Amino acid sequence: MNADLTIDAIGLLCPLPVLRLRKRMEALEPGQIACLLADDPAAAIDVPHFCNEQGHSYLGEDAIQSTTAYFIRKA
């Protein structure tokens, strides 16, 4: 999936990946897609929850070796 913004949160632990995602998504226009790269297992729960709370669309995830790419469309 093509993303308008890729956010590297590899090596960061909860809640830092979602905090970085929230901060960096401020620059996106509605409808643009962000890709969060994270290796924290808690991100699998935190990212969909963040999207639900903020009204963004959680588009899914892709596993890439020991990292997961989470795709989010800005509301």
Side-chain angles (χ1 to χ4, degrees), residues 1-72:
M1 182 176 299
N2 291 331
D4 299 293
L5 173 67
T6 300
I7 303 157
D8 185 351
I10 297 170
L12 300 179
L13 298 177
C14 178
L16 296 177
V18 169
L19 293 176
R20 183 170 285 183
L21 173 64
R22 179 175 33 177
K23 178 73 173 170
R24 298 282 310 278
M25 282 188 69
E26 291 175 2
L28 293 178
E29 297 293 325
Q32 287 188 303
I33 296 173
C35 172
L36 175 70
L37 302 175
D39 56 358
D40 178 15
I45 297 167
D46 293 345
V47 173
H49 179 73
F50 164 77
C51 292
N52 187 47
E53 292 291 316
Q54 298 297 312
H56 304 306
S57 298
Y58 179 67
L59 303 177
E61 59 190 62
D62 268 336
I64 307 166
Q65 296 176 357
S66 62
T67 300
T68 304
Y70 299 91
F71 295 94
I72 301 98

